[in-house]
Amino acid sequence: MAAGSVGETLPSQITLNGGVGTASVTLKAVNLTNQTRWYTASSTWGGTNANAINVWFQVIATREAYSTRATACGYHMQGADHFVALPYGLSLCGITVNLRASPVSASSVTAVQERGPWFPHSAPTEWNPCVGPPDPYWNTTGVPRAASAPCSSNGAGIDLAGGTYDDLGLAGNPVILWRFGQ
Amino acid sequence: MFGIGKTLQTGVLALSAAVTLQGASPAEQQAAKHLPPRAVLERALAADWKPENPKTEPVVASGPIFSSKSQDLAFVYKRADRLFLRVVAGGTSPIVELDAPLPGTYCAGDPSLPAISLKDLTGRGRDQILVPTSDGATSLGIYLNIFGIESGQLKNMVSKGVIGGHDVELECAQNRPCRIVAYGRWTDAGTSAVGVYEWLGTQFVRTDKDAETYFMARLRALAESASSEQPKTMSQRANDAIQAASLFLEHHQPEAAIALCKEVLSRLEDPTKTVRRKNGIDPSKIDEVFGSDLKRGMSAVHELLGKSYESTGHHREAQVEYDLAGKLKSAK
């Protein structure tokens, strides 16, 4: 595994004592919409073992209001629907994401059907004074731009449709975990 | 081989274009004649769409835009991924075509506000052009663009460029000029606001006249939803309660926040009013999850009840609520 993003840390070597050794790895990003990062364990006596590890993003989630208008993906919302919005372009439409309210809670699997929150945004309004390009934070620092942007009132990195929000048993604008894939 | 494939592809495209024009409305056919090079006529969800039939239609309208007696054309086109409004004066020679860029990446109409509409908002006998566009959830709704013709020029009629909002209502029934009421997304305290825009002779300007009345009507509806007798999940009930109680506090109505929190707590404790969530949960764990949900929701409402008591000077009652919130938060 190579440290590819800002703030990522990984040891170059792990020393084993009695066959046991631990090391802490901080991952901040994935390539495109990959679910995992691969790592390879190599022994100085020969032999390698490659494994993949899921990369989760921990961000503030907000609830998306019901609307009779089409979403940016051209999706038509129905009642307490199930989907998420991520602050990127239309290439993410239909991509599967896995969500959890906490590391120990049950997963909810759904798809990206909307763009947001906060970015990209082409003109300032009373409700969203932010103006800026897409923010694929899962490919960079793992931290949404909105989290540190004064123009954002809640710093959210993912929007959840009403049904998805309810399935996770959320209240308010909590921090949740999400990753790409089933 | 490549050449044959290319020829066939061109043939299919030509046929498809011919079919589209044959079925097109007169306004759409007119718009096609006035499209700039490399531009595409924008399409949006039809005003009368239904979930089982989400049909689209071209973003075109015709009516008296230049003067009260003219029949003019307005449409939205996309070029290089950017949206533009084009207005074409009817029956003029040489042809008068005026353009303006629009924010957002798509036209976002709904039955109450179609993707393009012409309406005399100012009471001067000629129509203005209303085009709701959007970037998606990032807009927290739409950019409402309003354009009109002034001294032969296409002019933006909104003082700050656009009116943003999740829901936008035009109040024109009783009088002209119309009043425009824009609501935020209303999914948390930060997005719960109302903006009121009025025509001040040359542009629509945010005046917020009577905004508090609209705001309180929306807030009361939210509070009623939070304390409703209808069965709801903890998320549905607690989220509305947190939002409504926070807004009552922001608007210096702690008594209303106290009453709401108490009512919502009684609903959360009533198993016929607050129900279990089941989607994606192991059936053997539904009760366990429900217990955990209730503790989390009640903790948040007790916390708000504490804040509400504190703002009325009832510090002892506030401490009791904070302690209850803390116990519920730490309970497994």
Side-chain angles (χ1 to χ4, degrees), chain A residues 63 66 68-72 76 114-116 119-123 126-128 154 159 165-167 169-170 172-173, chain B residues 45 49 54 104-106 108 110 135 137-138 140 143 164-166 185 187-188 193 197 206 235-236 239 277 279 296:
Chain A
R63 184 164 60 103
Y66 173 73
T68 50
R69 296 186 196 96
T71 67
H76 309 105
E114 175 65 300
R115 188 166 47 191
F119 297 101
H121 200 230
S122 49
E126 285 86 345
W127 324 111
N128 182 3
N154 55 35
D159 244 354
Y165 183 93
D166 293 343
D167 283 355
L170 306 178
N173 293 339
Chain B
L45 204 59
W49 76 277
T105 51
Y106 66 106
D110 73 0
D135 279 314
T138 46
L140 302 180
Y143 307 110
H166 187 269
R185 191 161 78 163
T187 49
D188 60 20
Y197 296 79
R206 184 169 176 176
S235 264
Q236 291 163 340
N239 196 58
R277 63 183 166 104
N279 281 352
R296 203 167 56 255

Side-chain angles (χ1 to χ4, degrees), chain B residues 155-214:
Chain B
K155 189 186 167 197
N156 189 329
M157 312 295 267
V158 179
S159 66
K160 289 194 173 175
V162 291
I163 294 174
H166 187 269
D167 305 309
V168 178
E169 293 171 0
L170 304 179
E171 293 191 353
C172 307
Q174 300 301 318
N175 51 17
R176 294 287 195 279
C178 301
R179 173 187 282 191
I180 301 170
V181 185
Y183 293 89
R185 191 161 78 163
W186 282 75
T187 49
D188 60 20
T191 58
S192 302
V194 180
V196 177
Y197 296 79
E198 292 181 293
W199 177 252
L200 297 186
T202 56
Q203 282 190 307
F204 281 95
V205 177
R206 184 169 176 176
T207 62
D208 280 351
K209 189 179 180 189
D210 303 328
E212 187 69 7
T213 307
Y214 295 103

Side-chain angles (χ1 to χ4, degrees), chain B residues 108-329:
Chain B
D110 73 0
S112 67
L113 189 62
I116 190 165
S117 53
L118 304 182
K119 199 172 186 73
D120 179 7
L121 298 173
T122 63
R124 295 180 300 166
R126 62 180 190 273
D127 288 348
Q128 285 77 53
I129 308 147
L130 292 87
V131 183
T133 58
S134 182
D135 279 314
T138 46
S139 321
L140 302 180
I142 55 163
Y143 307 110
L144 176 56
N145 304 274
I146 304 176
F147 283 85
I149 298 296
E150 296 292 330
S151 306
Q153 299 299 310
L154 185 59
K155 189 186 167 197
N156 189 329
M157 312 295 267
V158 179
S159 66
K160 289 194 173 175
V162 291
I163 294 174
H166 187 269
D167 305 309
V168 178
E169 293 171 0
L170 304 179
E171 293 191 353
C172 307
Q174 300 301 318
N175 51 17
R176 294 287 195 279
C178 301
R179 173 187 282 191
I180 301 170
V181 185
Y183 293 89
R185 191 161 78 163
W186 282 75
T187 49
D188 60 20
T191 58
S192 302
V194 180
V196 177
Y197 296 79
E198 292 181 293
W199 177 252
L200 297 186
T202 56
Q203 282 190 307
F204 281 95
V205 177
R206 184 169 176 176
T207 62
D208 280 351
K209 189 179 180 189
D210 303 328
E212 187 69 7
T213 307
Y214 295 103
F215 180 91
M216 290 313 298
R218 183 64 72 103
L219 176 51
R220 275 192 292 275
L222 182 67
E224 280 168 18
S225 168
S227 59
S228 154
E229 295 222 1
Q230 293 290 319
K232 293 177 169 218
T233 62
M234 182 285 290
S235 264
Q236 291 163 340
R237 195 175 289 290
N239 196 58
D240 284 352
I242 292 166
Q243 184 184 351
S246 303
L247 291 170
F248 279 130
L249 286 177
E250 278 178 22
H251 284 252
H252 311 293
Q253 298 190 22
E255 289 81 8
I258 290 170
L260 175 65
C261 288
K262 284 182 173 175
E263 201 165 356
V264 168
L265 283 170
S266 74
R267 298 275 187 262
L268 286 170
E269 287 166 345
D270 182 343
T272 64
K273 304 290 187 296
T274 301
V275 296
R276 289 155 174 75
R277 63 183 166 104
K278 295 175 181 171
N279 281 352
I281 299 173
D282 179 344
S284 68
K285 293 192 173 171
I286 285 176
D287 286 344
E288 186 188 329
V289 168
F290 183 57
S292 168
D293 281 357
L294 280 184
K295 283 173 194 157
R296 203 167 56 255
M298 290 175 74
S299 171
V301 179
H302 277 295
E303 178 90 26
L304 270 169
L305 186 51
K307 274 188 196 170
S308 310
Y309 275 131
E310 202 168 340
S311 63
T312 57
H314 293 86
H315 299 291
R316 189 176 297 168
E317 287 86 347
Q319 194 54 53
V320 169
E321 296 303 325
Y322 289 143
D323 289 347
L324 276 170
K327 276 182 193 165
L328 286 163
K329 197 178 268 181

Side-chain angles (χ1 to χ4, degrees), chain A residues 84-119:
Chain A
V84 304
L86 286 171
Y88 194 58
L90 302 185
S91 59
L92 283 193
C93 295
I95 295 280
T96 304
V97 293
N98 188 316
L99 309 149
R100 283 184 177 179
S102 73
V104 294
S105 67
S107 292
S108 177
V109 176
T110 186
V112 179
Q113 292 292 1
E114 175 65 300
R115 188 166 47 191
W118 299 109
F119 297 101

